[in-house]
């Protein structure tokens, strides 16, 4: 499927949250998330002319921390994922709601730095992504000896996967994403 069908955010600039209003992002279900590096810098590796991604040291950290996500959160399963030079796509499946039937308001926008740890409830997709981004940032900053330096853009993109057809489309997209790198509008 064309990029604009699967990832419509690539064709629009959004200044407000991309979260779906009144949707419970802690409920069981599958989601695809995309996280972009700070200023879309190509720091996670390189893709050769054959469409094969070679991870940098930072890219390996992203890979390891994504796999660690389901270890530290037993209510999360991981599906297809890929690390690209300046972004990451991954399918995450929340297998058990952490809110036992009580309603949860979706995080509408990424909080300001000072509000970050106070506002995102555990179990929300946003908390899962926040934990992943935070762990990657900490490890990369330790490696490059740059405390507090940004690694990721402030927010992330998500899509709610609502059918097996949609799930298979995202899997296909993720699997073939490195081969499409030369045509990517964010390719340096």
């Amino acid at each position: 499927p064309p990029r604009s069908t699967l990832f419509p955010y690539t064709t629009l600039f959004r200044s407000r949250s991309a979260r779906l209003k009144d949707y419970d992002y802690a409920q069981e279900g599958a989601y695809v998330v995309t996280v972009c590096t700070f200023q879309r810098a190509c720091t996670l590796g390189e893709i050769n002319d054959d469409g094969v991604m070679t991870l940098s040291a930072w890219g390996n950290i992203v890979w390891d921390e994504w796999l660690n996500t389901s270890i530290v959160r037993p209510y999360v399963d991981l599906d297809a994922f890929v690390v690209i030079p300046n972004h990451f796509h991954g399918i995450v499946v929340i297998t058990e709601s952490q809110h036992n039937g009580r309603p949860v308001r979706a995080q509408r926008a990424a909080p300001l730095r000072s509000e970050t740890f106070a506002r995102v409830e555990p179990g929300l997709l946003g908390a899962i992504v926040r934990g992943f981004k935070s762990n990657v940032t900490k490890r990369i900053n330790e490696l490059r000896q740059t405390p507090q330096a940004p690694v990721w853009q402030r927010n992330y993109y998500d899509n709610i996967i609502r059918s097996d057809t949609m799930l298979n489309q995202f899997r296909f997209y993720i699997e073939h994403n490195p081969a499409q790198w030369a045509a990517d509008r964010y390719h340096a």
Side-chain angles (χ1 to χ4, degrees):
R3 175 186 272 285
S4 61
T5 303
L6 293 176
F7 296 99
Y9 59 82
T10 59
T11 58
L12 299 172
F13 173 78
R14 293 183 191 227
S15 59
R16 287 193 252 167
S17 174
R19 306 291 88 76
L20 186 60
K21 185 177 180 182
D22 297 325
Y23 185 83
D24 180 0
Y25 280 87
Q27 71 181 324
E28 296 175 13
Y31 307 86
V32 62
V33 296
T34 299
V35 184
C36 297
T37 57
F38 182 68
Q39 298 180 336
R40 295 198 190 270
C42 295
T43 55
L44 304 180
E46 295 180 356
I47 297 178
N48 69 19
D49 293 338
D50 295 327
V52 177
M53 176 71 179
T54 302
L55 298 175
S56 67
W58 296 6
N60 280 310
I61 290 171
V62 171
W63 184 279
D64 292 344
E65 286 301 330
W66 185 249
L67 291 177
N68 196 41
T69 298
S70 63
I71 295 169
V72 298
R73 294 173 183 85
Y75 56 92
V76 170
D77 286 340
L78 303 178
D79 201 293
F81 69 95
V82 66
V83 179
I84 300 296
N86 65 2
H87 63 279
F88 167 86
H89 297 296
I91 297 173
V92 60
V93 181
I94 298 176
T95 59
E96 179 183 332
S97 175
Q98 298 300 292
H99 297 284
N100 301 321
R102 78 181 155 95
V104 177
R105 288 186 44 205
Q107 179 78 25
R108 292 294 299 142
L112 299 174
R113 184 181 283 288
S114 62
E115 302 172 339
T116 298
F117 294 102
R119 292 190 55 204
V120 180
E121 290 191 48
L124 284 172
L125 180 64
I128 295 165
V129 174
R130 181 192 70 187
F132 164 70
K133 289 172 65 174
S134 176
N135 291 339
V136 168
T137 300
K138 180 180 177 186
R139 287 185 57 196
I140 288 175
N141 281 336
E142 286 173 356
L143 181 68
R144 66 182 177 179
Q145 299 178 356
T146 55
Q148 305 295 319
V151 172
W152 301 111
Q153 287 189 0
R154 182 173 172 261
N155 216 331
Y156 67 95
Y157 302 99
D158 69 79
N159 279 291
I160 302 162
I161 299 175
R162 299 176 188 264
S163 68
D164 287 341
T165 300
M166 196 175 188
L167 175 62
N168 289 327
Q169 288 175 334
F170 279 116
R171 285 176 175 155
F172 181 88
Y173 178 84
I174 288 169
E175 179 182 340
H176 293 91
N177 195 244
Q180 303 299 319
W181 177 243
D184 191 297
R185 72 186 224 168
Y186 298 112
H187 177 235

